[in-house]
DNA sequence: CAGTGGTCTAGACCACAGC
DNA sequence: CTGTGGTCTAGACCACTGA
């Protein structure tokens, strides 16, 4: 997600090799594969767009013809196209056709953990677990997690480092019994990765991002001067059944971090 | 979107009237209506969930039976259900059935303008346009908007007030000719509302949120003490064809604002 | 006008969950 | 085992776009 080291520059993407506008595009499906036909087609179209074989703005050819060419039914082809429309890669216009979206649309950023972000950025992340206990939920935590006030919840406090420098102070509350919350594993990986490997399917998160000046204690913990601007984030994460699986209340050194994310308009 | 006055409290939702778990739910479609059948069904299901007539976790009844009851085909019913699954209101489990998600999932926040947010929060927003000109695009702006460097783009600088107090300093770059950018209208409404009424369909936005200390000039403009923490936001907004329609670079008084938004995991 | 996507039908077989 | 959703087919008619 969303978190990005300040140092990371949004590099300009180099254009792919010259697009071949003559051949109509090589597409085929494997009916012996367990992969759904619509999914195979969607993957191939997405790859073609990605590689520039389908130029931005170019028409895809009508659905009937595409279905005939692949030996598929029209609904199946439509399902493939629809999945790419949902991803924002294609646009359908009645009476016109289906075209590749103009300009390179960057793919939406994933809901990843700060740990993964740092690792992907080559920042050599490290974690120090300051606390890993079970406590009764305060009113705020109970409301966020949807548990009764006073119910036991796990509290985890961590310092996240990159290149041996503190980057963020992370405070998480989790429902107990959801998955094994081993301190040793917490030190070597991210919370979301632990959840995913426990079979939890993350679905959405609601966040509030703000800023404020660091207190003396916070400043010391993050090796910032007192009063330095901090980024604050509160996040409640939900799984695919709508249950809250995590409530976090974090602070980041604003001098080192900013959040990057993609918002989608829900029509 | 995203922007929320600090003062706004996320009020606890009061539970609806007692759910009737006996009657299977009143559903019907009007075949004379121009509204698609799957959409009518989706609306009714959504309303039922909203009103608590369908309790969280309750099963919806299988698709075949539902189709039979409504006189619809299964694919049509599936299309309705799928749209609600996409919205995060329903969960499908093979071999189990379709159930309403646990816990009230808040609906994703919209990509609205700061103006709309303030207005919705009863903050009586006002805008002062400081600048509304056409300029050659800098490298950064050109990259964000996908236009050649040096091409003419519109530059708008605004101060946004709430209750007669400055809240944010907004700086926008827009492709020229996209829509009429009248200064008078800018003072009485939001940019996104102007775009929408010009027929532009907003699709997604990519944002970066950070924080830093205010410079002397910024502090004065926002009536904050020098060095006060500011929230910074850069945003590029895209329409449904993938074209960048706006690039903004804004600062907000951290003492007054935080951003709230919802992230969705794209499977 | 012809061509496109938007919607809808009435079937079919399969994979997986839970008993 | 039964019941569920997941996938797929081969048609159909309509609404809109652009020439």
């Amino acid at each position: 997600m969303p978190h990005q080291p300040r140092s990371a520059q949004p590099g300009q993407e180099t254009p792919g090799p010259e697009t071949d506008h003559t051949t109509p595009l090589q597409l085929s499906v494997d009916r012996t594969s367990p992969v759904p036909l619509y999914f195979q087609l969607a993957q191939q179209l997405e790859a073609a767009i990605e590689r520039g074989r389908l130029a931005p703005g170019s028409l895809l050819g009508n659905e009937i013809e595409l279905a005939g060419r692949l030996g598929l039914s029209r609904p199946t082809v439509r399902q493939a196209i629809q999945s790419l429309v949902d991803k924002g890669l294609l646009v359908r216009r009645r009476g016109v056709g289906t075209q590749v979206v103009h300009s390179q649309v960057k793919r939406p950023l994933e809901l990843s953990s700060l740990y993964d972000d740092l690792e992907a950025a080559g920042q050599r992340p490290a974690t120090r677990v300051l606390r890993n206990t079970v406590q009764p939920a305060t009113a705020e935590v109970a409301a966020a997690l949807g548990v009764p006030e006073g119910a036991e919840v796990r509290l985890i406090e961590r310092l996240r480092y990159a290149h041996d420098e503190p980057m963020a102070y992370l405070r998480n509350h989790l429902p107990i019994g959801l998955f094994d919350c081993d301190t040793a594993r917490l030190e070597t990986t991210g919370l979301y990765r632990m959840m995913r490997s426990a079979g939890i399917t993350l679905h959405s998160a609601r966040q509030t991002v703000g800023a404020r000046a660091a207190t003396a204690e916070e400043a010391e913990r993050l090796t910032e001067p007192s009063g330095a601007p901090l980024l604050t984030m509160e996040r409640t994460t939900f799984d695919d059944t709508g249950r809250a699986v995590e409530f976090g209340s974090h602070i980041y050194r604003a001098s080192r971090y900013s959040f990057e994310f993609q918002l989608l308009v829900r029509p």
Side-chain angles (χ1 to χ4, degrees), chain A residues 72-241:
Chain A
L72 298 174
S73 69
R74 186 186 167 203
T76 301
V77 170
R78 274 184 67 80
Q79 193 175 0
I81 291 177
Q82 187 58 48
S83 72
L84 297 184
V85 170
D86 290 340
K87 280 190 181 184
L89 293 173
L90 296 176
V91 194
R92 289 208 251 226
R93 293 176 192 284
R94 184 147 47 174
V96 177
T98 303
Q99 37 186 323
V100 181
V101 111
H102 293 90
S103 93
Q104 66 298 0
V105 170
K106 310 237 175 72
R107 51 178 66 265
L109 297 165
E110 283 182 13
L111 183 63
S112 66
S113 70
L114 175 55
Y115 188 92
D116 293 337
D117 292 331
L118 290 171
E119 195 171 52
Q123 301 279 306
R124 302 183 48 70
T127 308
R128 190 151 65 88
V129 175
L130 305 179
R131 198 131 71 119
N132 184 356
T133 65
V134 171
Q135 283 194 341
T138 64
E140 182 193 20
V141 170
L145 292 180
V147 301
E149 190 172 338
E152 294 213 311
V153 293
R154 182 164 295 276
L155 166 62
I156 299 171
E157 285 183 32
R158 294 169 294 168
L159 259 180
R160 181 62 46 85
Y161 296 81
H163 290 138
D164 301 324
E165 259 200 282
M167 289 288 137
Y169 175 71
L170 312 172
R171 200 155 183 275
N172 290 90
H173 292 267
L174 304 95
I176 53 174
L178 209 57
F179 64 104
D180 181 42
C181 224
D182 182 54
T183 297
R185 273 189 72 204
L186 274 174
E187 304 235 338
T188 58
T189 187
L191 200 53
Y192 287 175
R193 203 180 290 179
M194 286 175 67
M195 287 190 197
R196 288 198 176 98
S197 65
I200 298 172
T201 306
L202 267 27
H203 176 267
S204 65
R206 199 174 193 89
Q207 332 191 130
T208 304
V209 173
R212 58 178 169 80
T215 67
E217 188 190 6
E218 290 166 345
E220 191 193 335
R221 232 190 311 240
L222 295 173
T223 69
E224 286 272 337
S226 190
L230 296 179
L231 260 179
T232 65
M233 195 224 330
E234 288 200 351
R235 175 192 288 169
T236 308
T237 309
F238 301 90
D239 73 0
D240 59 354
T241 71

Side-chain angles (χ1 to χ4, degrees), chain A residues 28 63 135 256:
Chain A
S28 63
E63 299 171 349
Q135 283 194 341
R256 304 276 177 147

